[in-house]
Amino acid sequence: MEPSKAYNPTEVEGKIYRLWEKGGFFAPEARQPRAGNPNKNKTFCIIMPPTNANGSLHAGHALVMTIEDIMTRYKRMQGFRALWLPGLDHAGFETQVVYEKKLEKEGRSRFKMTREELYKEISDFTENNKKNINSQVKKMGSSCDWSREKFTLDKDIVKIVYDTFEKLKNDGLVYKGKKIINWCSRHQTSLSDLETKDEERTDKFYYLKYGPFVIATARPETKFGDKYMVMHPKDKRYKNYKNGQKIELEWINGPITATIIKDQAIDMNFGTGVMTITPWHDAVDFEIAERHNLDKEQIIDFQGRLLPIAGEFAGMKILEARPKIIEKLQTKGLVEKIEENYKHIVKTCYKCNSLIEPQIKEQWFLKMKPLAEPAIKAIEKNQIKFIPEHYRKISLHWLKNIIDWNISRQIVWGIPMPAKFCEKCHAEFIDINDKITKCSKCDGLLIKETDTFDTWFSSSQWPFATLGFPNSKDYKTFYPTDVMETAGEIIFFWVARMIMLGLYITKKIPFKNVYLHGLVLDAKGQKMSKSKGNVINPLDLIEKFGTDALRMGLVVGNSPGTSLPLDENKIKGYRNFATKIWNASRFVLMNLKDYKTDKKIQLNARDKKLLENFQKTAKEITKKMDDFKFYIAGEKIYHYFWHTFCDKIIEESKKSLSSPKTRKSTQFMLLKILSGSLKILHPFMPFITEEIYQQLPRKNKKECIMIEEWPEN
RNA sequence: GGGCGGUUAGCUCAGUUGGUAGAGCGUCUCAUUUACACUGAGAAGGCCAUAGGUCCGAGUCCUAUACCGCCCACCA
């Protein structure tokens, strides 16, 4: 071994990764199963959550790569035909947002570009990022099979997504409907309910005189078209008012006729118990209007400006118009009072924080209840194991209360919806091959849908799509996959939907186990964010301490589902551990110069005991690995290696090595425990273990530790 | 309002069939060039949130309470 007293990761890592790639060890079929291997006919498969191709690797990705690589390497060493399939995500909306920001910095805007221009630019941008991301995934030591890499916009993937869409349509599970949706006026697209977040704001709260009633609102600019007064049917205060009764009153822009509506959705204890409704811009109001078959009028356009119904205020942005409307109402004597600090919760766009404007818009929806039922059954029958377990309940709760999913987006970057509609009669058609031009009902011309799919619609098909459903060998061999490992945060976005669409298309669960990791936080336990400036770049840590140290720091003590503060000191501790491994190995090698691999050795009782002890430890660790408790397994091997092997066994061996009687037995024992420990350490710390293994005396010099046998027996 | 977690050593957290409290980091004492100072030997430090209950025995199971956190829905 080299004279250097410290392990130098930067020198070693690239070289070792190339050695593995050259050996072709990442592919499940690359290696002949060992004779007598009990697992030779078994497979193991993880589909990597496709990495967003819009930036670079962050701490969360580093965690994904580490955990999934540990699982894959472990199973591979146990003799399974292990496949870890890598992939990249075009990440529709997310990427378009990133790119729009880039355009903004350059003083450009997507609204001044054609769809084609924008698509081309984002596509080029994504292509560049793909290379960058992949090289970073490799830096993490990921032993995924690059020959099977997939991208969410690959032709074969898109074909599968289209087939699924068509099947859903044929089964009546997809419909195009005018419903109230979440509209981001800044990004000019609708968003699903999962893509909005709640934010507490302090606004003024206006009490307005509306005929005989006082109504309260924080949004007077929506009130132009309000012509229904809704009250609870059991509200005694208003028992003299009858449902449908008309009342003449003076309103913002003149006299109007308003109608009394009785509906149970009203909270009698809130304010005066009377409200007016704006069905076009409020979800609850929309439902009331639907129930009573009331008129719905658009007040605010999709850019967030008032429409002609607002009279003199038409064309104004809502926030600009609000004080002016109040001023007018005041001069008309219609303002009863203004509450200054009204705290309420508003929906905002999860990307840009701007206010979500509910709008009625024709969109494509997926009927979720029929899709959720089989998923609920599968989970209730424990066909899918959740790690940690409580995600089972969380998923079930969400699935049981599921609502229809808006899968269309008005953005350019994504998979175009293969749909057309008739310009005359508005009939819809699914046209995967882009062949139909005339309406079959009225002979009118067909117009192509410009919407794209919500990214999650395609990602939800990822496990079977990447494996080549329905006919490929990989699909037949590896589906259902063994583990889906991803962030707990996206349990609804992704995991639950994969279960639903997986069951719908393949009739099988997409994965047997779901392993959900928590957030990676900064050293103080705070969420990392660019604005706070506390983002830890995993690549910096690799440069400083080596990939192996980073991997240990990410996995040891990180139980699934709980968040992990990433402390540089912790990584440093594992860098020290790497040095320890290096030097212990150096010691053993230095004392092995006269050692012959092929000679039979008579072990003495002490060394035999030590080996048995190691086997016992190996067994315990194996059990933890099988239980997905990598955070304990990693800690155990760390502890054994440092505090048993180094502190006790090596220290004691110094004497027995110097006596000719015990030297040979000690040499054998040291080498055996060292190489066994390295094997157990390998899934956690692949680079240093391989580098040392390459220098150990062994029978077949071509072998790599990554395809060595896991030392459980 | 509905759901789900958490509360254990100064800090971050383990602790799954209930059997005398564990790790890492930090702190303190000692060792001073040893394969490794990115080191070694040792030490201090916990009525396991609170109150009941089941049991021979509870950090672990049950019930209630308090505080912290997350998610979902709603608030005109």
Side-chain angles (χ1 to χ4, degrees), chain A residues 35 45-46 59-60 101 110 146 167 202 233-234 250 253 274 291 354 357 389 471 560-561 614 616 658 713:
Chain A
C45 178
I46 300 181
K101 274 190 191 153
R110 77 139 147 149
W146 294 104
K167 181 174 157 58
T202 306
K234 286 189 183 149
E250 180 65 22
N253 288 334
V274 180
R291 270 200 289 278
S354 53
E357 187 63 68
E389 223 168 84
N471 294 320
F614 168 74
K616 212 183 116 205
S658 60
N713 295 307

Side-chain angles (χ1 to χ4, degrees), chain A residues 3 44 52 90 156 196 237 248 252 262 289 328 353 391 393 399 423 435 467 526 571 574 593 631 639 681:
Chain A
F44 178 79
N52 289 1
H90 72 285
D156 49 341
T196 66
R237 288 171 291 180
E248 305 285 328
I252 313 173
K262 301 263 178 166
K328 181 169 181 190
N353 266 1
Y391 274 105
K393 282 189 202 167
L399 285 165
E423 124 190 285
K435 278 183 183 155
L467 288 171
Q526 296 205 313
I571 314 295
Y574 290 109
K593 286 180 180 142
Y631 60 103
H639 204 259
L681 279 164

Side-chain angles (χ1 to χ4, degrees), chain A residues 84 139 253 273 292 295 298 371 447 549 552 572 618 631 638:
Chain A
W84 181 20
K139 276 209 138 176
N253 288 334
H292 300 272
D295 296 341
Q298 187 172 14
L371 291 170
I447 297 173
M552 282 295 271
K572 195 169 156 188
Y631 60 103
Y638 169 90

